[in-house]
Amino acid sequence: MALPQPPRLMNWTFAMPFIPPASSIPIRQAIASSLMALALAGCTMGPNFTKPAPSAPADWTSWRSGDASLHGAIGTDATLPADWWRAFNDPVLDELVRRGFAASPDLQTAALHVAQARVQRGSAAVQGLPQINASGQVSRQRQSEHGASTRLLNVVSSSSSGSDRDALVKLLSEPFTLYQTGLDASWELDLWGKVRRSLEAADAGVAQQAALLDHARLSLASDVARNYFDLRATQRKIALAREDITALKERTDLLSARTTGGINNHFDLERQRSELQGIEAQLPALLAQEAAQANQIALLLGERPGALGDLLKPVADAGKPALPDLALGLPSEIALCRPDIRAAEARLHSVTANIGVAKADMYPSIRLGGGFNLESYRAENLFDWASRAWSIGPSVSLPLFDGGRRKRVVQLRELEQKEAAVSYQQTVLQAWQEIDDALNGYTAEQQQNAMLAARLDSARAAFDLASARYRGGVITWLDVIDSQRTMLQASRDLADSNGRLATRYAALNKAIGNASESTAAKAN
């Protein structure tokens, strides 16, 4: 519907009270006018929101970066499970995630934001409903003997005697108690869709906060898993460091005996002692790191420091987790499911609807109003039918001049929409980058993990061969200890890689936005 540009000169309000006479013709006219106004209420200002359609490749490999040898690990026939942390078959991790979804302060804050958005949505919805107010008042009053009523009395009773006028003035100026009560009702017609656009923006706000809640769940699951894997890796380093210290102590004792017997010199012994002291010096830092990582997990779960000591105590090394193969589906189906993209889209929807709210504010508004009141200076007569007073009729507010304020508000809302559109595009691009980085890191770690596992197998075979040669008298026990330490170092490197592989798997699931509300409910 074509509309003229609204004037911007002055802001006038025309009130047209309607008091029906005995005839019913004006009542029918008022009803017809109201129906005409309601017919105009179908207009909606501002642009309609169109869901953005970001570009996506036909297959993932066309948008991949990095070494082409990493691309072959990507499949397109399935998706990773939403409860991806269960792939590790670790009951402790499952329990940590469950507790996090139930008691995390970050999730509670995000859930409260959703509740606040829903309340704001309810507040926007009632703007289109009639407003009804009840009032009551009791006041003690006295009229001035020289006020407007006295002036009117002078004009009306100019022919009366002075004594009669004075008596009447005295009567009017006597104090009296006035009792008042009644109901007032008003309803602003949504002619230009201001209420509808406000409700649309509020709905988008709810969707945005719900997406941010999903993002908080996703971040929590990923952070809990990452810190848990780091903790287990640190505990494994502590165990291997203690094994290495034991082996070094045994080797130092042997060198000390051989030095005493004149077989080795003191240089070899002191060098061995220096290496032992270096390994022993690493242990306190590892223990402090273990405590800090446990406290970080407790913080994520809303627990005090040390509250998870029994749950996070060291366990036997489980080795490489049995992680599923990568099969992520089409890229567009992956990235657009991310909570941050859904939140950016909802924000774009909200600011687009707010343009309509600002434009509707530039046009006239019509409010239907009425009131019914009872008024009496005697309490016993307050509820008599003769004490009634009522009015009904529309009022029109026409914005004529505001110094360009409303126009600037529209310009501001349009600029906010452009900013939200740019932010949405940036969020999508960042999603592709994070997914690509996570895929490259995960597949590269898989290859490195396989190489380190082969290295450990070789080191273990060399240790077994050295032990056999020692039993045959071919080599000394020092050679066996050196072979054992080589195997321990290979075990340490593989343990680190296993921890990084698990962490990169968690980062990959976070990158693709893999943790929904239903997943959180299942974990609970």
Side-chain angles (χ1 to χ4, degrees), residues 224-272:
V224 168
R226 177 176 55 82
N227 284 277
Y228 177 75
F229 296 140
D230 289 343
L231 172 68
R232 291 306 190 200
T234 300
Q235 291 174 340
R236 181 59 180 162
K237 288 180 182 178
I238 292 172
L240 291 173
R242 285 172 173 163
E243 291 183 22
D244 201 8
I245 289 173
T246 301
L248 277 175
K249 284 182 177 180
E250 185 177 0
R251 193 176 194 281
T252 302
D253 293 339
L254 286 175
L255 279 177
S256 178
R258 291 170 64 89
T259 301
T260 302
I263 301 177
N264 290 90
N265 56 44
H266 286 278
F267 175 77
D268 294 334
L269 177 61
E270 293 303 326
R271 185 175 58 181
Q272 188 64 62

Side-chain angles (χ1 to χ4, degrees), residues 100 103-106 220 223-225 227 295-303:
S104 168
D106 292 338
L220 176 68
D223 290 344
V224 168
N227 284 277
N295 287 339
Q296 182 62 35
I297 296 174
L299 179 62
L300 291 172
L301 273 58
E303 297 282 357

Side-chain angles (χ1 to χ4, degrees), residues 160-182:
S160 302
S161 62
S163 59
D164 292 340
R165 175 190 169 280
D166 293 341
L168 187 55
V169 170
K170 184 177 181 181
L171 176 64
L172 291 176
S173 61
E174 289 181 354
F176 66 95
T177 302
L178 184 63
Y179 302 88
Q180 295 173 310
T181 184

Side-chain angles (χ1 to χ4, degrees), residues 77-101:
D77 56 345
T79 58
L80 291 171
D83 51 350
W84 49 268
W85 56 88
R86 298 185 184 275
F88 297 95
N89 296 317
D90 191 330
V92 176
L93 177 59
D94 295 344
E95 176 64 13
L96 292 175
V97 175
R98 186 195 68 80
R99 287 193 187 185
F101 283 146

Side-chain angles (χ1 to χ4, degrees), residues 29-44:
Q29 291 177 350
I31 294 175
S33 299
S34 299
L35 292 176
M36 183 178 297
L38 291 174
L40 292 173
C43 301
T44 304

